[in-house]
Amino acid sequence: MTLIIGGRSAGKLDYVKSLGYSEEQISRDPGDDCPVLYGLQDTAAEDPEGAEALLPLLLKKELVVCDEVGCGVIPLEKRDRQAREAIGRLCVLLAKNADRVVRVIAGIPTVIK
Amino acid sequence: MLILLTGGAACGKSAYAERLTEGYEGRKYYIAAMEPFGEESLKKIARHREMRSTRGFETIERYTDLEHLVLPEKGLALLECLCNLTANEMFSEKGAGRDAVGAVLRGIETLKKQTDTLIVVTNEVGSGYDTYGDRTPEYIDNLGIINRAAAALADQVIELVCGIPIFLRR
């Protein structure tokens, strides 16, 4: 599994498509058999406490794409703080288990693992 | 030659940009996009003026409509920064509104034609947790699109981290 991270609108989806994946191969549902899981930050935010349990499903994917969300100020609402925390922790776990980690900035991918 | 500098707030982009212009023989223009609203921006502007004062820059204040800017002569331009320019085009009365992305990108093209070296400073704003209820997500998306397009045009893309340059493309 390759983890692709980067800020909102940094060019992650364009990068995925540049690797040859089509729209039909990209989904937001970790449970289906699409090779690419996109928007992990939203999936994890739905149930922050259960986010870690997604790990086995995510590791079956070829690509997992997640926004980096930890470089802003602390959110005002508790549920947002919990979601932000869960997304960050999940990304650390994913990165640990990933074969590769790619960070996209201004549309430019850099392999960081 | 187009160089794009990016990074978080106060990471040393301006200082690095100005170092890049050292030794340049022709005319040097500083295109300032920050509209002076209140004490905070005045302070920041004063700080940047001070940094440039000994480096032979001619300052041009331009908050919107970069695409119709005419430089007196070909030279080097330092444009600072896309984050202000994008906000001005989106939200200011004189801005391009819905065409903000197009206006900023055409502005970069216009400047590129009139310079032999163009250094563009932008900002990374998309790595916070989006809990904004207003037009901020739209701004983040627009700046993201602009940054990607500018990076695609650029010969060099450099991210600054604590003043340290990381070469994303060179």
Side-chain angles (χ1 to χ4, degrees):
Chain A
M1 187 273 288
T2 295
L3 175 66
I4 297 166
I5 55 158
R8 181 184 168 117
S9 291
K12 298 182 292 298
L13 191 56
D14 283 352
Y15 173 64
V16 168
K17 288 180 181 166
S18 80
L19 298 175
Y21 292 95
S22 64
E23 293 276 0
E24 297 73 43
Q25 294 175 297
I26 303 169
S27 105
R28 288 174 165 272
D29 178 3
D32 68 17
D33 22 314
C34 285
V36 183
L37 187 275
Y38 180 77
L40 177 64
Q41 72 283 350
D42 297 330
T43 316
E46 280 167 21
D47 176 20
E49 282 179 18
E52 242 184 79
L54 294 171
L55 194 64
L57 283 176
L58 295 172
L59 291 176
K60 285 186 198 156
K61 299 284 179 184
E62 290 173 27
L63 304 181
V64 174
V65 185
C66 189
D67 279 3
E68 280 187 285
V69 298
C71 297
V73 292
I74 299 174
L76 285 173
E77 302 291 333
K78 189 177 178 191
R79 63 165 198 281
D80 293 331
R81 290 196 293 276
Q82 286 172 332
R84 189 178 78 147
E85 185 79 12
I87 295 160
R89 300 278 171 221
L90 183 55
C91 279
V92 172
L93 264 181
L94 280 169
K96 206 176 190 176
N97 289 282
D99 306 304
R100 287 206 314 164
V101 180
V102 178
R103 181 182 179 221
V104 182
I105 303 171
I108 302 171
T110 306
V111 177
I112 59 172
K113 176 186 167 178
Chain B
M1 169 83 144
L2 171 57
I3 303 171
L4 181 70
L5 300 179
T6 190
C11 68
K13 300 184 293 291
S14 303
Y16 187 79
E18 286 173 29
R19 278 214 303 280
L20 286 179
T21 69
E22 275 170 15
Y24 183 82
E25 301 286 341
R27 281 174 86 165
K28 297 200 277 190
Y29 309 99
Y30 180 87
I31 321 246
M34 183 190 266
E35 271 189 273
F37 285 123
E39 190 195 347
E40 236 176 282
S41 53
L42 287 173
K43 242 186 210 168
K44 191 152 188 158
I45 288 166
R47 194 184 118 80
H48 281 180
R49 268 190 200 282
E50 173 73 29
M51 278 164 72
R52 290 193 310 272
S53 59
T54 53
R55 297 182 198 261
F57 276 98
E58 300 168 48
T59 298
I60 299 169
E61 288 177 27
R62 188 80 176 192
Y63 311 134
T64 56
D65 194 32
L66 196 59
E67 63 183 300
H68 294 111
L69 178 68
V70 180
L71 295 179
E73 194 184 340
K74 201 156 192 157
L76 173 152
L78 167 52
L79 169 62
E80 190 152 11
C81 65
L82 296 185
C83 46
N84 277 304
L85 197 58
T86 303
N88 296 343
E89 292 289 8
M90 282 181 72
F91 303 119
S92 147
E93 238 172 70
K94 288 184 182 158
R98 285 178 181 277
D99 189 31
V101 170
V104 172
L105 292 178
R106 289 193 299 273
I108 295 172
E109 297 270 10
T110 303
L111 266 188
K112 196 167 181 267
K113 282 183 202 146
Q114 300 180 69
T115 51
D116 45 42
T117 305
L118 174 60
I119 303 169
V120 177
V121 176
T122 188
N123 211 315
E124 290 302 315
V125 298
S127 297
Y129 190 61
D130 167 26
T131 54
Y132 316 100
D134 51 12
R135 291 184 68 197
T136 307
E138 184 190 339
Y139 168 74
I140 294 173
D141 287 343
N142 281 346
L143 188 56
I145 295 166
I146 289 166
N147 284 349
R148 276 140 62 190
L153 277 179
D155 301 288
Q156 290 186 21
V157 183
I158 305 169
E159 181 194 12
L160 272 295
V161 181
C162 304
I164 299 164
I166 296 175
F167 294 86
L168 299 175
R169 179 187 304 134
R170 72 161 125 200

